[in-house]
């Protein structure tokens, strides 16, 4: 019983550390995404980033549903983390951030 209580406590602690709130403002074009940490959790940077392996082919820019890639940079405010750019980059120049 005591072990179960300890396990439950750690589980709650883990959930609290990992919790963050993603807010999507669908009323804006393009959609705006904001992240708010809950409790004492830190906001871990996640999403995608274009690295200097980029050959400037613009495939990512064309496929992005949010049109949030400009000058080979991702506008993080509008990125929905869909991963399409990451999947379609021919030279794996887009890095996935966080976990
Ligand atoms: S698809 Fe890849 S190589 Fe092409 S512009 Fe985007 S990041 Fe650069
Ligand atoms: S993850 Fe999706 S929304 Fe974000 S830049 Fe890539 S294609 Fe656009």
């Amino acid at each position: 019983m005591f072990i179960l209580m300890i396990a439950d406590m750690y589980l709650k602690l883990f959930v609290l550390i990992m919790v963050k709130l993603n807010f999507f403002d669908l009323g804006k074009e393009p959609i705006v995404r904001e992240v708010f940490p809950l409790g004492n959790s830190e906001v871990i940077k996640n999403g995608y980033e274009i690295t200097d392996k980029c050959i400037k082919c613009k495939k990512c820019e064309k496929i992005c549903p949010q049109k949030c890639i400009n000058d080979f940079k991702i506008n993080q405010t509008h990125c929905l983390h869909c991963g399409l750019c990451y999947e379609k980059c021919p030279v794996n120049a887009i890095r996935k951030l966080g976990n």
Side-chain angles (χ1 to χ4, degrees), residues 13-26:
L13 196 61
F14 176 74
V15 169
L16 198 62
I17 288 168
M18 299 302 290
V19 167
K20 64 183 180 193
L21 200 63
N22 275 285
F23 172 75
F24 295 92
D25 189 345
L26 305 177

Side-chain angles (χ1 to χ4, degrees), residues 17 19-20 37-38 40-44:
I17 288 168
V19 167
K20 64 183 180 193
L38 292 182
N40 292 327
S41 63
E42 272 179 51
V43 174
I44 297 165

Side-chain angles (χ1 to χ4, degrees), residues 3-99:
I3 291 171
L4 280 178
M5 281 171 58
I6 296 290
D8 185 52
M9 192 178 82
Y10 274 107
L11 189 63
K12 281 179 184 150
L13 196 61
F14 176 74
V15 169
L16 198 62
I17 288 168
M18 299 302 290
V19 167
K20 64 183 180 193
L21 200 63
N22 275 285
F23 172 75
F24 295 92
D25 189 345
L26 305 177
K28 290 189 179 151
E29 177 69 37
I31 295 164
V32 172
R33 186 181 51 75
E34 287 187 70
V35 181
F36 301 98
L38 292 182
N40 292 327
S41 63
E42 272 179 51
V43 174
I44 297 165
K45 202 175 174 188
N46 57 11
Y48 299 88
E49 168 180 273
I50 295 175
T51 68
D52 52 13
K53 282 165 65 183
C54 174
I55 57 169
K56 304 189 185 332
C57 71
K58 294 194 171 187
K59 280 189 180 173
C60 56
E61 201 175 306
K62 287 177 196 145
I63 203 166
C64 176
Q66 281 283 85
K67 303 287 176 227
C68 64
I69 302 176
N70 291 303
D71 290 332
F72 315 104
K73 286 196 175 59
I74 296 174
N75 182 335
Q76 299 298 334
T77 306
H78 299 296
C79 175
L80 297 179
H81 300 177
C82 69
L84 273 176
C85 54
Y86 173 78
E87 286 169 22
K88 297 295 176 188
C89 176
V91 292
N92 297 321
I94 300 180
R95 179 170 53 203
K96 192 170 183 181
L97 304 169
N99 43 19

